[in-house]
Amino acid sequence: MSFREEHLDQLPHLATSDVSAVALRLFRYQAKHCPPYRAYLDALGCNADAIEQITDIPFLPIEFFKTHDVRTDPEAWEPQELFLSSGTTMQQRSQHHVRDPQLYRHNAAHIFEQFYGPITTWTFLALLPSYLEQGHSSLVAMVDYFAKESGQTQPAFFLHDHVALLQALRAAKQDSTRRVMLFGVSYALLDLAAEVGLAPELQNLTVLETGGMKGRRREMIREELHHELQQAFGPAGIHSEYGMTELLSQAYSLGDGRFHAPPQLRILLRDPADPFSVSEDRPDGAINIIDLANVDSCSFIETKDLARMHPDGSFEVLGRLDNSDVRGCNQMV
């Protein structure tokens, strides 16, 4: 069995206590076999074999996904799918080359079910116009897979057609054996709420906002956005996803503003002024991510997001570092 096969075989059964050891093995592998990461570590003078703690790992700045082909063992495979970050024509979009499209979908489904139960007990609907229009969205691929696996009869995507969405919501709520989840980019959910007001179809849903105004509305802090959405969707908490093009895993907030990550997604914080001051005990700072599902790209990513950690391991996203572009899912300022 190859290193990759052995690593992927562990993921569905990973315990939190195993993450550090698995991450260190993967780090040493990617330090040798991911050319952009290897070049970055060489420039830092980093000896990968001397790293003994995950907090000592140098994390790859996320901008590398815009400027480099970030692949591990690139000579062994060709991309079967390409995910691009959302952005405008004035921005260079991050690229995530995917070796195995089913790895992303199966991993996303496994994580979803840890927090929400079987996919087959849900009907998934989505208002993700900017993602659909720009194409190559990992979020669209995930929701599409969930909808197909659920066996639902309603279509999943509605672009700007609020009338058809309300009809689908009405039909979905007739099935008492299923819950209904509405995925939506922030501005699209606000547009829906403004157009239809307190429509009965919008009540008793699980609303999962994915962040992002995409230049369509002014940016809001999470509390303000969720307060506005609750005026239309009811007092229940608004759920959220924390994910991005560069990751194959996601974290979820179940309505309280705190994100919970699965074992394969480890969140560490650093001093925003010092990229190498990573700590497992820091209460707030900039986010570094270990995504163990990123076996074919790079699992160790330095983001531009700011967060606060809580004693139970959950985290709040506070915003973005100065002068960094607003991007991804749930990157609110």
Side-chain angles (χ1 to χ4, degrees):
M1 182 180 292
S2 68
F3 174 89
R4 180 181 184 274
E5 293 170 331
E6 181 181 352
H7 177 79
L8 291 177
D9 192 53
Q10 298 177 77
L11 281 189
H13 318 289
L14 193 66
T16 302
S17 58
D18 299 330
V19 169
S20 292
V22 173
L24 284 169
R25 287 197 297 271
L26 182 57
F27 164 68
R28 295 188 182 108
Y29 186 82
Q30 291 187 332
K32 295 179 181 178
H33 297 282
C34 178
Y37 194 31
R38 182 175 64 232
Y40 178 67
L41 295 174
D42 288 345
L44 295 175
C46 173
N47 176 6
D49 292 332
I51 299 293
E52 297 182 351
Q53 300 182 70
I54 59 174
T55 51
D56 294 330
I57 292 173
F59 285 67
L60 186 72
I62 200 166
E63 293 86 352
F64 272 67
F65 282 83
K66 290 184 176 181
T67 58
H68 293 74
D69 180 0
V70 182
R71 286 193 286 152
T72 293
D73 288 329
E75 69 285 347
W77 58 278
E78 291 296 327
Q80 299 302 304
E81 190 166 24
L82 175 65
F83 292 142
L84 297 176
S85 63
S86 57
T88 69
T89 55
M90 301 298 293
Q91 296 173 336
Q92 187 174 0
R93 299 169 69 184
S94 291
Q95 300 186 24
H96 195 161
H97 299 276
V98 179
R99 179 175 183 171
D100 179 3
Q102 290 306 306
L103 168 60
Y104 169 66
R105 289 158 175 79
H106 291 167
N107 183 60
H110 177 69
I111 294 170
F112 180 90
E113 291 187 331
Q114 288 180 52
F115 294 102
Y116 292 104
I119 282 178
T120 52
T121 64
W122 288 91
T123 295
F124 299 96
L125 308 175
L127 271 179
L128 302 170
S130 53
Y131 294 97
L132 287 167
E133 291 163 344
Q134 291 185 328
H136 297 284
S137 164
S138 57
L139 177 61
V140 169
M142 182 184 80
V143 176
D144 181 63
Y145 179 73
F146 287 2
K148 289 175 179 175
E149 289 297 299
S150 78
Q152 67 189 58
T153 56
Q154 287 79 12
F157 299 98
F158 296 89
L159 203 57
H160 304 287
D161 191 346
H162 295 163
V163 173
L165 172 60
L166 292 179
Q167 292 174 343
L169 286 169
R170 199 177 304 124
K173 292 166 104 176
Q174 299 302 310
D175 187 347
S176 60
T177 66
R178 287 175 175 264
R179 294 170 285 174
V180 182
M181 178 172 286
L182 175 61
F183 281 83
V185 63
S186 300
Y187 79 84
L189 292 173
L190 289 170
D191 289 348
L192 173 66
E195 180 177 321
V196 305
L198 297 173
E201 291 88 348
L202 301 188
Q203 308 306 303
N204 302 315
L205 307 175
T206 298
V207 178
L208 193 149
E209 58 89 8
T210 64
M213 294 300 181
K214 313 303 180 187
R216 313 294 178 94
R217 287 172 173 257
R218 69 175 178 85
E219 295 292 335
M220 297 179 178
I221 62 171
R222 178 189 59 80
E223 290 84 358
E224 181 185 6
L225 172 65
H226 287 197
H227 176 74
E228 286 206 19
L229 291 176
Q230 286 173 314
Q231 305 310 302
F233 294 100
I238 304 297
H239 294 221
S240 303
E241 182 210 33
Y242 181 78
M244 56 190 72
T245 298
E246 298 84 359
L247 304 179
L248 295 187
S249 302
Q250 306 79 31
Y252 288 99
S253 167
L254 308 184
D256 59 358
R258 294 186 182 185
F259 290 97
H260 301 266
Q264 66 262 45
L265 192 70
R266 174 67 65 87
I267 305 295
L268 302 172
L269 299 185
R270 68 183 191 275
D271 182 340
D274 182 358
F276 305 110
S277 61
V278 181
S279 171
E280 293 190 85
D281 303 316
R282 189 179 180 88
D284 51 52
I287 295 178
N288 281 14
I289 294 179
I290 300 174
D291 184 357
L292 296 177
N294 275 18
V295 63
D296 299 310
S297 55
C298 181
S299 291
F300 309 92
I301 300 175
E302 173 195 298
T303 81
K304 300 300 184 183
D305 300 328
L306 298 170
R308 176 182 298 119
M309 295 295 295
H310 292 275
D312 64 355
S314 64
F315 63 99
E316 294 178 73
V317 179
L318 303 179
R320 303 279 294 162
L321 289 172
D322 289 344
N323 301 318
S324 58
D325 55 321
V326 178
R327 57 185 297 286
C329 298
N330 236 304
Q331 316 285 302
M332 292 182 291
V333 297

